[in-house]
Amino acid sequence: MATDISNPSNLLAAVDMGTNSFKMLVVRAEPNGRFLTIDRLKEPVVLGRGMNSNTPTINLEAQHRAISALHKFKHFLHNQQVNHTKFVATSAVREAVNKGEFLSIIEEETSCKVEILSGEEEARLVYIGVLQFLPIYEKTVLTIDIGGGSTEFVVGKQGNVIFAISLKLGHVSLTEGFVKNGEVEKMREYIRCVIYESGLVEKIRDVGFEIVVGSSGTIRSIEKAVFMGYAQELMSAVVSYDVFKRNWKFSRKDLSCVVEKLCDKDQREDEDVRRKRFFKRRSEFILAGAVLLSEVFEILNIDEMEVSEYALGEGVIAETIAQCCRDFDVNANARWRSVIKLSSRFNNDKRMKSATRCAGIAREFFAGLKKYDELNDHPERCMLEFNAKDLEYLEAACLLHNIGLYIGKKGYHKQSYHIIKNGDYLQGYSAEEVELIALLARFHRKKFPKSDDSSFHVFPDKGKEKFRILCVIIRISVAVQQCPFMTFQRLEISSCAEGFQLVLTESRDRTLSTGYVQPTLQDVEAELTLELDHFEQVFKKKLSVAMPSSS
């Protein structure tokens, strides 16, 4: 494979052409196998709509939606200079009688070469994806992924699949076949029949499991419904739950309450509107998905399910990295996985993207300062004592700095600190390391920490100064990320050797915004004045802003 993940800026992508939606995951991969999600795109193609069960065919309208979605993805991949992309198709394409013709049209019109995954291979990749998110490598795990056209079951341990099966039960196909006709009880009978006839129950009983994980969008929506009290009429302007008690699990009883609410025939007239507001695009299919999952819980005697943010797309990425990196360990980077898990749990897609951009800027800024110290012999030698762990703390703080916004905007940096410190979320980090990450998140805005700040009593004297340097970097990274229409390009030494230049350029996606006005250098410097002053205070050198004209 031509992909070179030794390049620190290497971008990889996976496109999952599902029955309900097409999803694209873009990540930055590192040689040690660690990856960070840069962006996610999703298009509601609904390939499975209108597919007849006897002769399943992808109709022309669905084909046009698919081609349009892939063109959007290809345009994004070209602009972002993504190095390698893998396209995979699942249930709808797998079952379609016209799949050959469909894939030929895709290749002709988009140049995308698509691999059709078997049900078992899809299940295996879902399990690999889950292992990148949850610390469950040593356990026997039953993973369940409900898709639009099929549901995958896989039992695995230590990265190896013990048993995998794909059943033709999906929230789109069940909605089309039963829910739209008001035949929910008939749907339950059909689900039970398919499960029992598949031999799933006997095979699961033979291999057993220690923990059950759900990984699909449907299951994540059900967990959210449980946590936010959808079935208890708690959806109000003021949310009355404790974020520190969110374990991202739900019980059989929790699931039953949600299903009962969704199936209630005596609902108020505004209940359909409320459901659409809560579940959004998934509202059309959530009833079928929830009933399907409740039947699985009953038949397999599941008491509790843990929820994974990662699934098939991340499994495809991990597989790609494994093919490029001889020493790749599917269980590596447990610490980093806990950071990603915490960030993704409290950040929505928009805030997650902002946090990821912030981490990317901080990483390049850190590398620029360290390279300067390595090449220049000067008294301060500030960055020579920094190592890969310090960079890890910095990136972790960048990914977590805005999780306090989950509670509210006022004083959110303090809330971020408390969530990191008190939630027991970061696994594999010592108490001192957790404190360092939490304090970086706490001081990414508002007052800049002084060397004698009482908050730093846990650090030795040299550690206090290192903290202030990391604090400067995260504050500048956040400020640049928030700077309208600008993005970080590089850090370089100014020609007169008085200090550094922060080189910014116009952000491609932001310049497309309606009413865009190109900012001046003075505008940008005014936005960053406070953080430029903090840089000079700590490094004893000036940091100026440069904006080369874009082509």
Side-chain angles (χ1 to χ4, degrees):
M1 184 178 293
T3 307
D4 176 20
I5 65 170
S6 63
N7 180 351
S9 61
N10 186 62
L11 298 182
L12 305 178
V15 175
D16 168 14
M17 296 167 52
T19 302
N20 184 30
S21 58
F22 282 16
K23 290 167 283 192
M24 183 168 72
L25 170 68
V26 181
V27 309
R28 185 184 73 220
E30 298 180 19
N32 63 0
R34 198 176 87 174
F35 63 83
L36 176 62
T37 300
I38 302 300
D39 223 324
R40 295 178 186 271
L41 279 73
K42 184 176 181 180
E43 290 292 323
V45 175
V46 200
L47 275 184
R49 192 185 297 281
M51 287 183 72
N52 185 287
S53 58
N54 295 321
T55 55
T57 305
I58 301 173
N59 60 45
L60 288 177
E61 290 80 5
Q63 292 184 37
H64 290 155
R65 292 194 298 270
I67 297 297
S68 175
L70 291 174
H71 275 307
K72 290 180 182 178
F73 289 172
K74 291 279 286 187
H75 180 71
F76 181 90
L77 293 168
H78 175 74
N79 284 343
Q80 298 298 318
Q81 299 179 318
V82 175
N83 301 67
H84 175 82
T85 305
K86 184 167 184 177
F87 296 81
V88 298
T90 55
S91 178
V93 180
R94 187 164 62 229
E95 303 298 330
V97 296
N98 62 335
K99 57 178 171 284
E101 175 189 349
F102 176 54
L103 294 187
S104 295
I105 293 172
I106 285 178
E107 186 169 357
E108 181 180 339
E109 297 201 20
T110 69
S111 301
C112 297
K113 294 185 177 181
V114 181
E115 177 184 346
I116 300 177
L117 299 177
S118 68
E120 291 73 19
E121 178 67 1
E122 181 181 353
R124 185 185 71 83
L125 289 170
V126 167
Y127 169 59
I128 297 300
V130 166
L131 290 182
Q132 308 309 303
F133 191 78
L134 296 171
I136 53 176
Y137 181 78
E138 297 294 338
K139 295 185 178 181
T140 304
V141 184
L142 167 60
T143 300
I144 301 172
D145 187 279
I146 297 176
S150 65
T151 296
E152 278 62 54
F153 299 83
V154 56
V155 177
K157 184 175 183 178
Q158 295 180 335
N160 298 311
V161 172
I162 301 172
F163 159 71
I165 191 172
S166 176
L167 301 185
K168 296 178 183 178
L169 295 170
H171 57 73
V172 173
S173 55
L174 290 173
T175 299
E176 294 275 316
F178 298 97
V179 175
K180 287 187 175 181
N181 300 322
E183 299 175 329
V184 175
E185 286 306 311
K186 190 174 179 180
M187 178 174 69
R188 288 184 184 275
E189 295 174 9
Y190 176 76
I191 291 169
R192 294 187 197 116
C193 182
V194 171
I195 291 176
Y196 281 119
E197 288 184 356
S198 70
L200 173 68
V201 179
E202 293 78 13
K203 291 176 181 176
I204 293 292
R205 187 185 300 128
D206 289 342
V207 299
F209 56 84
E210 296 174 74
I211 184 174
V212 183
V213 176
S215 59
S216 63
T218 294
I219 293 174
R220 290 195 297 272
S221 293
I222 291 170
E223 185 278 327
K224 180 182 177 184
V226 170
F227 176 61
M228 298 189 71
Y230 172 77
Q232 283 75 42
E233 304 291 346
L234 293 180
M235 287 292 293
S236 61
V238 179
V239 183
S240 57
Y241 48 79
D242 183 350
V243 299
F244 298 117
K245 294 181 179 179
R246 185 175 188 182
N247 295 319
W248 296 280
K249 300 176 183 178
F250 57 88
S251 66
R252 190 188 310 188
K253 182 179 178 181
D254 293 329
L255 175 59
S256 296
C257 290
V258 173
V259 172
E260 184 179 345
K261 182 67 175 177
L262 292 170
C263 293
D264 186 4
K265 295 180 180 179
D266 299 322
Q267 294 174 350
R268 302 189 309 270
E269 293 182 3
D270 63 345
E271 185 57 37
D272 188 53
V273 175
R274 179 171 174 262
R275 182 194 299 187
K276 289 178 179 177
R277 187 175 69 247
F278 186 89
F279 293 104
K280 299 182 174 62
R281 289 178 179 175
R282 201 170 294 277
S283 62
E284 180 182 0
F285 308 113
I286 192 63
L287 173 57
V291 169
L292 169 57
L293 188 62
S294 68
E295 291 299 321
V296 170
F297 264 57
E298 292 296 328
I299 293 171
L300 298 183
N301 195 28
I302 297 170
D303 293 321
E304 184 179 70
M305 172 174 278
E306 190 162 350
V307 181
S308 169
E309 188 77 12
Y310 286 5
L312 177 60
E314 288 78 11
V316 172
I317 290 292
E319 191 92 328
T320 302
I321 296 173
Q323 293 171 5
C324 306
C325 182
R326 181 181 301 175
D327 299 325
F328 175 74
D329 180 0
V330 73
N331 190 41
N333 307 309
R335 286 159 45 115
W336 183 248
R337 287 202 305 273
S338 69
V339 172
I340 299 295
K341 181 179 178 182
L342 177 55
S343 181
S344 60
R345 289 308 194 191
F346 285 94
N347 279 327
N348 57 26
D349 289 344
K350 183 178 179 181
R351 292 200 299 269
M352 191 70 189
K353 186 180 293 187
S354 297
T356 301
R357 283 176 174 167
C358 178
I361 295 169
R363 180 186 182 87
E364 297 302 321
F365 201 92
F366 181 97
L369 290 172
K370 192 163 177 62
K371 184 177 180 180
Y372 170 74
D373 274 15
E374 290 170 350
L375 296 176
N376 295 271
D377 186 19
H378 60 93
E380 293 85 2
R381 304 180 70 82
C382 295
M383 297 294 293
L384 291 185
E385 296 178 2
F386 284 73
N387 54 38
K389 276 195 172 182
D390 296 308
L391 177 58
E392 181 183 336
Y393 305 145
L394 177 63
E395 289 188 286
C398 287
L399 287 177
L400 301 173
H401 78 277
N402 57 353
I403 59 175
L405 286 168
Y406 188 87
I407 299 172
K409 190 172 183 179
K410 185 177 180 180
Y412 76 86
H413 54 302
K414 296 179 182 179
Q415 297 294 351
S416 296
Y417 171 84
H418 289 301
I419 294 173
I420 297 168
K421 273 281 291 179
N422 302 321
D424 194 28
Y425 295 112
L426 299 187
Q427 304 300 312
Y429 290 92
S430 67
E432 291 77 14
E433 289 174 318
V434 172
E435 178 75 14
L436 172 59
I437 293 169
L439 283 172
L440 283 172
R442 161 68 178 82
F443 285 100
H444 84 269
R445 67 192 289 260
K446 298 298 183 179
K447 72 172 185 177
F448 188 77
K450 298 179 180 179
S451 298
D452 58 353
D453 195 303
S454 60
S455 303
F456 309 146
H457 66 278
V458 295
F459 302 145
D461 291 341
K462 188 176 290 186
K464 293 176 182 177
E465 196 55 34
K466 285 184 72 172
F467 173 82
R468 278 162 51 85
I469 290 172
L470 292 176
C471 198
V472 166
I473 298 174
I474 189 174
R475 291 175 71 99
I476 289 175
S477 301
V478 171
V480 170
Q481 193 281 320
Q482 294 176 343
C483 192
F485 307 114
M486 302 304 297
T487 189
F488 177 84
Q489 186 172 345
R490 63 183 180 276
L491 181 75
E492 62 183 31
I493 311 305
S494 58
S495 56
C496 59
E498 290 180 355
F500 301 89
Q501 281 191 331
L502 186 66
V503 183
L504 306 178
T505 187
E506 293 174 279
S507 176
R508 291 180 181 180
D509 57 340
R510 295 180 178 181
T511 55
L512 298 176
S513 302
T514 305
Y516 167 70
V517 178
Q518 184 176 0
T520 65
L521 180 61
Q522 290 73 25
D523 293 333
V524 176
E525 286 184 331
E527 288 273 340
L528 303 177
T529 295
L530 191 59
E531 304 312 333
L532 297 178
D533 290 344
H534 291 146
F535 181 94
E536 185 173 1
Q537 176 186 337
V538 170
F539 284 91
K540 306 298 188 291
K541 287 184 177 292
K542 288 187 177 181
L543 177 65
S544 59
V545 178
M547 292 171 53
S549 58
S550 57
S551 57

